[in-house]
Amino acid sequence: MREPTGRRKLEQFLAALGRALRRPIRLYLVGGTVLVDAGLRGATLDIDFTVDADDATAVADFEKVVPALKDRLNVNVEPASPADFMPVRQGALGKSRYVRNYGPVSVYYYDPVSLVLAKVARASERDMADVETMVRAGLVDWAEVEAAWNEVRERPTGWLRHSPDEIERHLAATRSRLNIQAAVPPTADDDRSVQVRQHQRRGRTVRAHWRRPPPRPSGPAQESC
Amino acid sequence: MAIESTGAAEWDELAAALNAYGVFHVAPTDRARKAVPPIGELYRRLALASDPRLQEAFVVLLLTHPATAGVARAAIDTLTGAAHDRAERRYVAAAALQRMWRTRLALAMGPQPSIPPAYLDELGLPSLEEDFGEAALRRLAEQEQARYGYNAWSGYRSLMDMFLGHCRLRGWGRTRA
């Protein structure tokens, strides 16, 4: 078993990759690797990634280079993606965060919202701690996570590892840990003048409804009568 | 003391006993009703079993019934040699895995008592509090790989994947012994 990878070793790997490759490639860091690179975690067992390139030869070059680098630098390198755990939101790769370049290698953090949902799906204690870290560090906005979940939960496929119900239970546990109340987003059928929020009271989920005030008319402020 | 059986008879006896304690990932080939040993005797028999899947079931049984950790340690105390070493390691593995997956286990089986730490000093392992138990399990797996030659880390990960898939099933952990 190789030793876990810290930031210094990760940096060495990325720099070596940048020197070894010639054609442009996009390398999306995934999972704990993102937290290590962002300085939010000390080490990760594996450098998890997914790659993409406009030129298929670039990916082939990458696949030839990585095994030798693994051995030379004594790191675990694993192709992985949040899509391995559950469906990801539309345009997830495009929502990834550009970090920096190493020669032709452009490094991104895979869509942080999808990373969080994948960690919630798996829900190991390490995953739960990582989610808390990412939210509290501002790497991800929780409202976006909820919106992404509402988008993907209706997908008919992609649930071989975890069912939607299971992930919903994990999400509830995560909200509790983060002390976040679940917001029920409006649907097309909802009366948009009514706002609905749900919260926990004595162990039960309670939905509270209240009517939004009407929009103020535009123009100068009105004096009260 | 029960006479230990071997091969298929051992498999049937111990699989049936596991089923009686609500552990269903193994099943006997012969479904005829058999006497169910006390759980301490079952831990001992699993540690001595010839089939690696039955030896691994020591971890599964302890994860399912963490309140019996003291009974498991008492059973380990009756063992010697390689069986004693392996059983100690399986106890530590269960304790580490429980900490690594505490939230998932609580959602599946309700809140459970922690398996108390044991054997860490004599095995030269880090605290179970380090890295949510992962540091201890990783070091344990490295030792097992060096000593016995198999990829213990992959083995423990597969075992836990299996357990997390099964422990949500109706009746898991329900004892009829």
Side-chain angles (χ1 to χ4, degrees), chain A residues 1 3-4 45 121-126 128-129 162 166 169-170 173, chain B residues 99-104 107 131-132 134 138 141-142 145 153 157 168:
Chain A
M1 283 178 69
E3 287 298 308
L45 281 181
R122 197 168 72 150
S124 70
E125 291 316 290
R126 165 50 71 197
M128 302 293 272
H162 306 285
E166 195 186 344
R169 286 194 292 275
H170 299 175
Chain B
R99 282 155 176 80
M100 288 167 68
W101 295 96
R102 184 177 299 282
T103 299
R104 288 279 300 270
L107 287 172
D131 210 12
F132 311 101
E134 200 172 291
R138 197 168 61 243
E142 285 170 2
Q145 183 157 351
W153 179 252
R157 284 172 70 166
R168 297 180 292 129

Side-chain angles (χ1 to χ4, degrees), chain A residues 94-128:
Chain A
K95 295 179 170 77
S96 301
R97 197 173 296 189
Y98 172 74
V99 184
R100 58 191 179 273
N101 260 72
Y102 295 85
V105 180
S106 300
V107 177
Y108 294 78
Y109 294 163
Y110 193 102
D111 174 34
V113 167
S114 298
L115 292 182
V116 162
L117 278 175
K119 284 186 171 288
V120 168
R122 197 168 72 150
S124 70
E125 291 316 290
R126 165 50 71 197
D127 291 320
M128 302 293 272

Side-chain angles (χ1 to χ4, degrees), chain B residues 97-122:
Chain B
L97 287 165
Q98 188 196 48
R99 282 155 176 80
M100 288 167 68
W101 295 96
R102 184 177 299 282
T103 299
R104 288 279 300 270
L105 293 173
L107 287 172
M109 299 192 298
Q112 300 274 324
S114 286
I115 299 169
Y119 315 118
L120 299 174
D121 288 342
E122 54 189 279

